[in-house]
Structure formats: structure tokens, C-alpha cells
């Protein structure tokens, strides 16, 4: 019985092709197994590991066992009636000198600027539209957290009272808790105005100029 001769070239080509296919399949299987192992590892860490991130909080409340630091002394809120802003105190004084309606106004320095304010409020109010000079209400915050003298802190807090008057200051029971010259300052201011907003403004500006620790934020 005759035997067929095998083609050696064809056999070599087939063997090479078979080896290539097996190699590709092996690489794909190895990659698939590696991805499955990594996925299981990640799931295990997510379920069994500890979460080190803390949720954001407001008002300094504790969350997740961690205490968030907050300011022990919140800022005081005031509202000023403003007529202008100047780069120097001299220019502000010159402007006030030619405006009779600003004879009771004051000059406040903050952030390198000089502001002309006529009234200082603690509640919402609106600028009078019938005035000859344009004005607007400017909201700002006062911080005394860096003041070491408790009398200064008490003074700024006292100015948040609504109905200030000479009788109000005279009736303060513990006057030793406030600056020693308070009575003198109030006496001088009430000689030209008994308006609570004007009294508040000039008491405020007096102690602001004397104490660099009082900070204004707009």
C-alpha cells in the first residue's frame, strides 16, 4: 500500500500558526484572571477597610469623631450709611467741610481707605432717596477676637444694642467692664445729637481709632 509523502513545509507552517493561536489565548486568559483578582481585592478593601475622609461640616460641629475648629467669638454685624470713600483722610475732611449735611458724620479708616459715614445701625434700614447727597447702606462685620482687653470687646458688643442714648449708658450697672472714658465720650457726642445711630457711630469710631485689634470686614 503506497504512503503519501507529507509536506514538511506545510507541517511547519501549521505548527507555527497553532503555537501563535495558543499563545494569544493564553495571554488573554491571564489578563482576564488578573482583572478578576484585582476587582475582588478592591471590593474587599472597600467593605472591610476604614474610611479616612471626614464629611464637611458647618458651624464647627463634630462629625465622624473629629472636632472641627471654629471661632469662639462670632463677628458683630453693623450697617453704615456711607457717602463716599477716599484714599486719604485729608481728602475726606475736605469733602465734609463743604457739605453742611455731613456735620455730624464721621470718618472710618479700613483696608487703607477712608469712609464717610453718617449713621451706624444694627438693623436693616435704607438710605433716604430725597437727600441731596447720594448715599447707600454698607454692611460690614467687626471682629474683636485679637483684642486682649476685655473692656474693648464688651464695648463693641454693647454697641449692638438697638436704642442707645445717654440714659442708656448712664444706667449701665457694671461700668468697670467698659473703657474708663466711655462716660466722657458719650457726654461729648450727645451735646450735638441724641440719635442712637449717630451715638453708635461716634463711639464706634473713637474706640476703633484707639485699638488696632478691632478688625473690619466688608
Amino acid at each position: 500500500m503506497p504512503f503519501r509523502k507529507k509536506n514538511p513545509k506545510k507541517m511547519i507552517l501549521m505548527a507555527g500558526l497553532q503555537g501563535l493561536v495558543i499563545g494569544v489565548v493564553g495571554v488573554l486568559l491571564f489578563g482576564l484572571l488578573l482583572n478578576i483578582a484585582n476587582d475582588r481585592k478592591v471590593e474587599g478593601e472597600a467593605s472591610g477597610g476604614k474610611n479616612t475622609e471626614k464629611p464637611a461640616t458647618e458651624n464647627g460641629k463634630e462629625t465622624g469623631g473629629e472636632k472641627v475648629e471654629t471661632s469662639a467669638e462670632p463677628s458683630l454685624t453693623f450697617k453704615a450709611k456711607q457717602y463716599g470713600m477716599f484714599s486719604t483722610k485729608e481728602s475726606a475732611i475736605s469733602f465734609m467741610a463743604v457739605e453742611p449735611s455731613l456735620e455730624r458724620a464721621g470718618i472710618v479708616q479700613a483696608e487703607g481707605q477712608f469712609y464717610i459715614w453718617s449713621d451706624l445701625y444694627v438693623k436693616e434700614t435704607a438710605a433716604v432717596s430725597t437727600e441731596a447727597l447720594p448715599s447707600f447702606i454698607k454692611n460690614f462685620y467687626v471682629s474683636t477676637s485679637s483684642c486682649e482687653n476685655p473692656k474693648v470687646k464688651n464695648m463693641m458688643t454693647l454697641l449692638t444694642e438697638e436704642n442707645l442714648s445717654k440714659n442708656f449708658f448712664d444706667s449701665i450697672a457694671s461700668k468697670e467692664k467698659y473703657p474708663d472714658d466711655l462716660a466722657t465720650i458719650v457726654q461729648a457726642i450727645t451735646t450735638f445729637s441724641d440719635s442712637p445711630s449717630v451715638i453708635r457711630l461716634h463711639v464706634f469710631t473713637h474706640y476703633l481709632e484707639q485699638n488696632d485689634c478691632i478688625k473690619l470686614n466688608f
Side-chain angles (χ1 to χ4, degrees):
M1 185 175 181
F3 293 91
R4 287 184 185 176
K5 293 183 178 181
K6 296 182 179 180
N7 190 339
K9 292 184 178 180
K10 186 176 181 180
M11 292 178 65
I12 293 172
L13 181 61
M14 291 295 293
L17 182 61
Q18 185 179 12
L20 179 62
V21 171
I22 293 173
V24 171
V25 172
V27 171
L28 292 176
L29 287 175
F30 178 78
L32 179 61
L33 292 174
L34 183 62
N35 287 335
I36 293 174
N38 287 336
D39 290 342
R40 289 179 178 177
K41 183 178 179 181
V42 170
E43 290 176 0
E45 290 178 350
S47 60
K50 293 183 179 179
N51 186 6
T52 58
E53 293 185 3
K54 303 295 181 182
T57 62
E58 295 181 358
N59 301 326
K61 295 181 180 179
E62 294 185 3
T63 58
E66 181 177 347
K67 187 174 183 179
V68 181
E69 235 179 79
T70 57
S71 174
E73 297 182 17
S75 298
L76 306 173
T77 305
F78 293 96
K79 307 169 194 308
K81 189 175 184 180
Q82 180 170 313
Y83 287 86
M85 181 183 71
F86 301 85
S87 57
T88 65
K89 189 173 184 177
E90 290 72 20
S91 57
I93 293 174
S94 298
F95 181 81
M96 290 175 60
V98 297
E99 297 292 344
S101 61
L102 298 179
E103 61 180 359
R104 300 187 307 173
I107 299 174
V108 176
Q109 181 181 2
E111 300 180 347
Q113 302 292 330
F114 296 86
Y115 302 89
I116 296 180
W117 294 348
S118 66
D119 298 88
L120 195 61
Y121 306 99
V122 292
K123 288 188 176 181
E124 291 292 340
T125 187
V128 180
S129 59
T130 57
E131 290 181 323
L133 291 176
S135 64
F136 67 94
I137 300 301
K138 186 182 190 75
N139 296 331
F140 68 98
Y141 305 93
V142 175
S143 174
T144 58
S145 59
S146 60
C147 295
E148 297 181 358
N149 188 349
K151 293 184 178 182
V152 175
K153 296 183 178 183
N154 294 339
M155 185 68 258
M156 290 294 110
T157 302
L158 185 66
L159 292 180
T160 61
E161 294 291 335
E162 178 67 17
N163 297 313
L164 298 183
S165 65
K166 186 177 183 303
N167 290 336
F168 172 85
F169 287 103
D170 290 342
S171 63
I172 295 176
S174 303
K175 291 183 172 59
E176 67 277 3
K177 293 182 179 180
Y178 302 94
D180 298 335
D181 63 346
L182 177 58
T184 303
I185 298 302
V186 171
Q187 176 64 38
I189 297 171
T190 53
T191 58
F192 63 85
S193 178
D194 58 0
S195 169
S197 60
V198 175
I199 295 173
R200 182 181 296 105
L201 170 69
H202 288 281
V203 172
F204 175 82
T205 55
H206 172 75
Y207 292 107
L208 178 65
E209 291 176 355
Q210 289 189 341
N211 299 276
D212 294 336
C213 63
I214 302 175
K215 304 299 181 183
L216 275 62
N217 293 300
F218 301 109

